[in-house]
Amino acid sequence: MKSFKKISLMMLIAAFMIIAAACGSDSSSDKDSGGGKDSRELSGSISVSGSSAMQPLIAAAAEEFMAENPKVDIQVNAGGSGTGLSQVAEGSVQIGNSDVFAEEKEGIPADKLVDHKVAVVGMTAAVNPKVGIDDIKKEDLIKVFTGKITNWKELGGKDQKIVLVNRPDSSGTRAVFNHFALDGATPAEGITEDSSNTVKKIINETEGAIGYLAFSYFTDDSVTPLSIDGVKPTAENVQSGKFPVWAYQHSYTKGEAEGLTKAFLDYLMSDDIQNTLLKEQGYLPVTKMKVERDAEGNQKNI
């Protein structure tokens, strides 16, 4: 009888150990883990759409994220900020990328969306190197783009007619430049081109030309970036709030992000992405900003 009791007790202990081991080795998908660093493995798929300017950045981050999490699939499509905001609002994608605040797009239920600011882009006016200036007062910049100043000699440059290179009305870059560089003024007619690479090429090849570009396009001396009111267009000056022309890059979700969506957005805010990939893609880390803006453009120190 004693040996029977002893055997029964040993069987109960063994069964308990097996159950405990099974609970401790659970490798199911963790809906709340971030960046694939958790002991549990991420899996599933999400779709992202929106800003064409943001697509290379988000696609590159998605590739790195999927390499770390082989059971994850992230589809990244463009289509423009309006498309991204519309699709995330209707629930057909999990993340909608936008160059502008949702409140700035007509017909978007901004109150249903949650804004995740994942990067910052700085931009400034750029001129043909033969123009002969590298700094301009903001009031003069507005006069140039509204056609009130038509020759560079009026600003101490070459005796050369000013040629404006604009972006189309739908451009997020144009919206940011008009708001923060031109104080909302409407530019005069000029050459209109949507591609930043083409804008840079036109400015370089056209004497007297002026347009505007993100900082990431100033990689050589083919165009001259302009300081504004003596403030140079640098990452440090944007981050400190000294240079005025910049904007967030937004990744919107419908309601609070959860599961794999949250894990990917957390990954975008990680040091690896903010301090490495963003800079490689020509963006500024949002985590280094010392100022912040709201949808109305009001800026304050953080």
Side-chain angles (χ1 to χ4, degrees), residues 13-290:
I13 293 171
F16 177 77
M17 291 177 67
I18 290 170
I19 292 170
C23 291
S25 62
D26 182 11
S27 61
S28 62
S29 174
D30 176 23
K31 290 190 175 183
D32 295 319
S33 85
K37 304 297 185 183
D38 193 273
S39 60
R40 289 170 289 182
E41 193 172 16
L42 285 167
S43 63
S45 63
I46 59 173
S47 296
V48 183
S49 73
S51 165
S52 299
M54 288 178 68
Q55 186 187 24
L57 167 65
I58 302 302
E63 286 295 325
E64 293 189 12
F65 187 79
M66 289 187 289
E68 293 183 19
N69 300 278
K71 293 186 178 180
V72 167
D73 180 59
I74 301 176
Q75 296 294 322
V76 182
N77 300 303
S81 297
T83 297
L85 291 169
S86 296
Q87 290 184 342
V88 75
E90 68 189 20
S92 59
V93 301
Q94 286 69 49
I95 297 174
N97 293 324
S98 176
D99 300 321
V100 297
F101 283 90
E103 290 86 345
E104 298 179 69
K105 284 289 186 180
E106 190 174 342
I108 300 297
D111 59 325
K112 306 293 185 185
L113 304 180
V114 176
D115 186 7
H116 306 270
K117 302 176 184 72
V118 299
V120 167
V121 59
M123 61 185 71
T124 192
V127 297
N128 181 285
K130 294 180 181 178
V131 161
I133 68 169
D134 59 11
D135 181 42
I136 191 169
K137 292 179 180 178
K138 192 177 186 183
E139 61 185 87
D140 289 334
L141 183 64
I142 295 170
K143 289 177 181 177
V144 166
F145 270 93
T146 55
K148 293 183 173 68
I149 293 177
T150 58
N151 193 301
W152 288 113
K153 69 179 180 180
E154 297 179 58
L155 299 176
K158 186 179 179 182
D159 183 4
Q160 175 70 55
K161 180 182 176 182
I162 294 173
V163 178
L164 299 180
V165 184
N166 282 315
R167 312 300 275 272
D169 290 337
S170 60
S171 166
T173 300
R174 173 174 174 144
V176 172
F177 188 80
N178 285 8
H179 190 166
F180 297 109
L182 305 183
D183 291 344
T186 301
E189 290 296 321
I191 299 169
T192 301
E193 178 55 56
D194 193 32
S195 165
S196 293
N197 283 316
T198 306
V199 168
K200 182 178 178 179
K201 186 172 184 289
I202 291 171
I203 296 170
N204 169 253
E205 295 176 351
T206 307
E207 289 191 12
I210 181 172
Y212 39 93
L213 293 163
F215 290 179
S216 56
Y217 289 90
F218 301 123
T219 55
D220 51 40
D221 58 2
S222 62
V223 299
T224 301
L226 294 186
S227 299
I228 298 176
D229 290 328
V231 181
K232 292 183 178 181
T234 65
E236 293 75 20
N237 285 337
V238 166
Q239 290 160 355
S240 68
K242 293 179 182 177
F243 192 81
V245 193
W246 61 272
Y248 291 112
Q249 301 292 271
H250 310 259
S251 289
Y252 278 94
T253 56
K254 187 177 184 180
E256 295 295 336
E258 297 179 349
L260 183 56
T261 301
K262 182 180 185 303
F264 181 56
L265 289 170
D266 287 346
Y267 183 71
L268 290 175
M269 298 303 293
S270 68
D271 288 343
D272 283 349
I273 299 301
Q274 288 289 311
N275 297 329
T276 304
L277 184 62
L278 255 67
K279 292 181 180 179
E280 292 173 0
Q281 293 282 333
Y283 291 97
L284 312 182
V286 71
T287 52
K288 296 288 181 67
M289 293 296 290
K290 298 174 183 176

